Each structure stands twice: as C-alpha cells, then as structure tokens.
Amino acid sequence: MSSLKSLITSPASGRTRPVLIDHTDYATAVIRQGQPIPWADLAALTGHQGQVHALLDPDATWLDVGAVQGAHLVADPELVAAMGARSRTGYALRTLLADEDGVAGVQRTAKTLADAARRPLVLSLPSPARWLGRAHGVAGTGLDEIDPDRADTASTYIAEWLGKLSELPVALVILDARARVGDPIAQPESVSDYSAITNIASHLELGGRPAHRRPGRDERRHHDLASAGGVLVRRRRDPRR
C-alpha cells in the first residue's frame, strides 16, 4: 500500500500541496465530448486517463470503483441474478463484493491505471449505506430506507473486500455518501460510524493526516470531506447552512 503521508509531504507533481481531482464529470464533458468513459475497456480507459493526467496533472490516480463495478455488472447478468437470489438485507452487496471476477477486475484496472500514471491511487467507493442501497436496487430487491445498523453491517463487507486490495498502491479511500436519484433514505454518515473500514485502513497503512483537495467554488459550497486515518466520507452539505 502507498502512504497517505507520502502523498501529502511529497506530491509527485512537485507541488507543495497535493491536488486530488475527481475528474469524471469534467473529463466526460471536455475530453470525451459527452461520450461515456470506457470503464469496460481497459486499454481505452488507460488512454483516457493518460489524456486526463496530461491536461490536469493530478497527484493521484482517482478511480471510481462504483463505475468499474457497474460495467462489470452489465457484462455479468448471472452475478446480478445471484445478488437477487435472496431478499435479505445485505445479501446483494455481500454477493457482489465476494465475486472473485469482480475483485480481480478492480485489482487489474487499478494496478494498470496506477502503473501507467505513476501516481498512487485514490479509491472512490460508494459509502456503506449508498452501496448497500444500490446493490439491492440492481438486484431487484430494493430497500426503502437504510438505518445505521444496516449501514454498519454493510461496512464490514466493504472492509473485508478492501482487504483484498492490499497489494495496490492505495493512498486514500473515499466513501462517497452523496445521494443519487432513486437512492433509499439513509441517515448522514461519518467515518466514526465505520470502525471496520478504518481498522482495515490502519492495518494497510493508509493512514495519516487528511489530504488537501483544491475544490472548485461549487465544491466549497456543497461538499464536505470528513476524515479519519486515510479514509474520508464525502457528503453533500445541507444548503440551508
């Protein structure tokens, strides 16, 4: 694993402070001219990332794990069927994260992109509540609401899955708790809620002080990154505050 401390103190770009960029929307609009990012085609995805890094020169390789797994699910209807085999809460997510081909796909994609960019990885994952709800939605066993106990259970599945990525140069894990249209109702999430994930992050030596991002004006207004030892929760701030 790569150290968050190294990312902060010695950014690959030579900057005094690292710049981490979630470039998915920007790259889709500017580089792809509205065409989708080729998540299922590793050669094309690597070329796309090369264009992003040549233009923006971020200090880490940002990987949207949810998008990678989404492409895998489109290509594997048998896995989707297996996820929906039982309606018990958590079954869909646990089945998804236990899928060996899915784990191997994330490992292969992440390693290829990190090696090509020569930058450590930032893994952006759906937060436990969000990933739990979306897995059930894909499986056809949708949930109306996710309480903190269910989200905590989901975090143990995610922690176990994260442990399988120990050979990757991961410097930071971001749990994206921002809601999408169709997501079940969930309580606000915090890193302190998910000791299973922070424990595995500490074990993998992800930890350190939280990295600094250089957010745009809209992100400063609407987003908050709450941090703990190499794991961040990204959440939308209440616009009334």
Side-chain angles (χ1 to χ4, degrees):
M1 305 298 290
S2 188
S3 169
L4 177 57
K5 182 178 180 180
S6 296
L7 175 61
I8 294 169
T9 59
S10 303
S13 65
R15 301 180 182 97
T16 58
R17 178 176 295 183
V19 174
L20 311 181
I21 305 174
D22 177 359
H23 48 69
T24 300
D25 290 344
Y26 175 83
T28 299
V30 176
I31 295 176
R32 306 290 302 175
Q33 293 294 295
Q35 296 300 307
I37 294 173
W39 298 108
D41 184 334
L42 187 51
L45 181 61
T46 304
H48 166 74
Q49 178 195 253
Q51 292 179 291
V52 170
H53 279 241
L55 180 63
L56 302 176
D57 192 25
D59 287 293
T61 302
W62 188 290
L63 182 61
D64 184 341
V65 173
V68 174
Q69 285 204 327
H72 176 62
L73 286 169
V74 170
D76 192 349
E78 291 184 1
L79 174 58
V80 175
M83 290 166 60
R86 297 182 183 178
S87 60
R88 185 176 70 243
T89 301
Y91 184 84
L93 179 61
R94 192 169 193 177
T95 301
L96 170 63
L97 297 181
D99 180 63
E100 293 182 359
D101 289 342
V103 172
V106 171
Q107 291 172 327
R108 182 169 54 252
T109 299
K111 184 177 188 306
T112 299
L113 296 181
D115 287 350
R118 298 184 180 181
R119 296 286 195 272
L121 285 162
V122 171
L123 295 182
S124 178
L125 322 173
S127 68
R130 298 306 176 198
W131 215 346
L132 177 63
R134 290 167 195 169
H136 274 280
V138 168
T141 55
L143 304 173
D144 294 326
E145 187 172 357
I146 298 172
D147 62 36
D149 287 341
R150 289 175 171 178
D152 182 60
T153 299
S155 76
T156 65
Y157 305 152
I158 295 171
E160 182 179 0
W161 172 87
L162 186 61
K164 299 175 184 178
L165 308 182
S166 60
E167 298 302 316
L168 296 174
V170 179
L172 183 65
V173 174
I174 292 181
L175 307 177
D176 192 343
R178 296 173 299 165
R180 297 177 182 172
V181 175
D183 279 345
I185 297 171
Q187 298 297 315
E189 297 174 88
S190 171
V191 169
S192 62
D193 298 332
Y194 300 132
S195 60
I197 293 176
T198 55
N199 286 343
I200 195 66
S202 298
H203 177 70
L204 296 173
E205 298 183 351
L206 284 169
R209 294 186 297 111
H212 297 279
R213 296 179 72 239
R214 184 173 296 171
R217 182 177 60 185
D218 289 341
E219 285 203 327
R220 287 196 300 269
R221 183 182 303 139
H222 296 302
H223 299 126
D224 178 42
L225 292 177
S227 64
V231 181
L232 306 177
V233 168
R234 184 180 187 182
R235 58 181 181 257
R236 191 174 301 278
R237 180 176 292 153
D238 187 339
R240 294 170 297 180
R241 295 181 180 177

